[in-house]
Amino acid sequence: MSAPKKTAKRGLAGLMDSTIGAKILMALTGFVLVGFVVQHMVMNLQLYAGPEALNSYAHNLKHMMGGGFVWGGRAFLLACIAIHIQMAMKLTNRNRDARPQRYAAGQRTQVTSYAAQFMALTGVVILLFVIYHLLHFTGGVVQPDNFHVLDAEGRHDVWRMVVTSFKDPATSIAYIVANIALAFHLSHSVTSMFATLGLQSGRYRPILAKVGPAIAAFVLLGNLSFPISVLAGLVHI
């Protein structure tokens, strides 16, 4: 009796199971996550505008659509993170299976940058940072005394929470290290995203190759400015 034939997967399951589908899903979820990272950093620049600007923005965002906008956005972003990680693990395992023998001692891997070599490591650092960041600024589990402070309008005093938190050198160092890892990850991943989606070709290739490093530098400088400005006393209560 002949062995039963395997039924081909269809729809999203089939797409996720194929190598090209995994790359496309990883690129698309990466696009969403990069967009959020840039937007998040830009909005946080309101730290320099003072308590009223940042607290008003945070309050309005939190209560938009009765709070449904924030929670819906969080659920969508967490789904993107989960799919992104799953596809990364799938592609890593398939690459390892396709090359079962490791490189001989002293033989260099065929990569073009340190960012490309350490994508898995920086990805793990970013994941741990996201968990810590959510526990810190969203859940109030880390430094809860800073989290439950209200401003004169009875709103969550996000500005004071951020400034007080970054006055702790250990907290600032953790954010600085995590954002350096994020910059390395963005530098390579954005360029790879363009290549996966078929955009990095022809005369635009040299330009698009610079987009990843440019975004990484932009996000890094913005995010590092927050803890450094507080530690240096440029932003203070």
Side-chain angles (χ1 to χ4, degrees), residues 5 13 16 26 34 44 46 56 81 90 101 118-119 129 135 138 149 153 161 194 200:
K5 296 181 179 180
M16 295 175 68
M26 193 171 180
V34 170
N44 284 342
Q46 294 178 94
S56 178
I81 292 173
K90 183 187 293 291
Q101 293 184 345
F118 296 108
M119 284 296 287
F129 172 65
L135 292 175
T138 302
V149 176
E153 302 295 328
M161 176 183 67
F194 287 133
Q200 193 179 9

Side-chain angles (χ1 to χ4, degrees), residues 12-24:
L12 181 60
L15 180 64
M16 295 175 68
D17 191 56
S18 68
T19 298
I20 185 62
K23 289 182 177 180
I24 292 174

Side-chain angles (χ1 to χ4, degrees), residues 16 21-22 25-26 82-92:
M16 295 175 68
L25 284 173
M26 193 171 180
I83 293 174
H84 195 77
I85 293 173
Q86 184 181 357
M87 296 304 100
M89 294 176 63
K90 183 187 293 291
L91 291 171
T92 298

Side-chain angles (χ1 to χ4, degrees), residues 68-166:
F69 178 80
V70 170
W71 284 106
R74 287 171 178 168
F76 177 65
L77 288 171
L78 288 175
C80 286
I81 292 173
I83 293 174
H84 195 77
I85 293 173
Q86 184 181 357
M87 296 304 100
M89 294 176 63
K90 183 187 293 291
L91 291 171
T92 298
N93 291 334
R94 288 185 177 177
N95 288 337
R96 183 170 56 243
D97 292 341
R99 179 176 45 82
Q101 293 184 345
R102 295 191 176 189
Y103 290 105
Q107 184 177 351
R108 299 183 65 180
T109 55
Q110 296 180 345
V111 292
T112 57
S113 66
Y114 284 111
Q117 292 184 58
F118 296 108
M119 284 296 287
L121 176 60
T122 55
V124 171
V125 173
I126 293 167
L127 177 61
L128 294 176
F129 172 65
V130 168
I131 295 172
Y132 174 77
H133 186 68
L134 290 174
L135 292 175
H136 188 186
F137 286 142
T138 302
V141 176
V142 178
Q143 299 178 341
D145 292 340
N146 298 336
F147 184 81
H148 297 289
V149 176
L150 303 179
D151 66 6
E153 302 295 328
R155 303 169 301 192
H156 183 203
D157 199 339
V158 177
W159 186 88
R160 179 177 290 271
M161 176 183 67
V162 172
V163 175
T164 304
S165 296
F166 284 146

Side-chain angles (χ1 to χ4, degrees), residues 27 31 189-201 207-212 215:
F31 179 81
S189 62
V190 172
T191 303
S192 297
M193 177 182 69
F194 287 133
T196 298
L197 298 177
L199 300 176
Q200 193 179 9
S201 59
I207 298 175
L208 293 176
K210 297 177 182 178
V211 173
I215 291 177

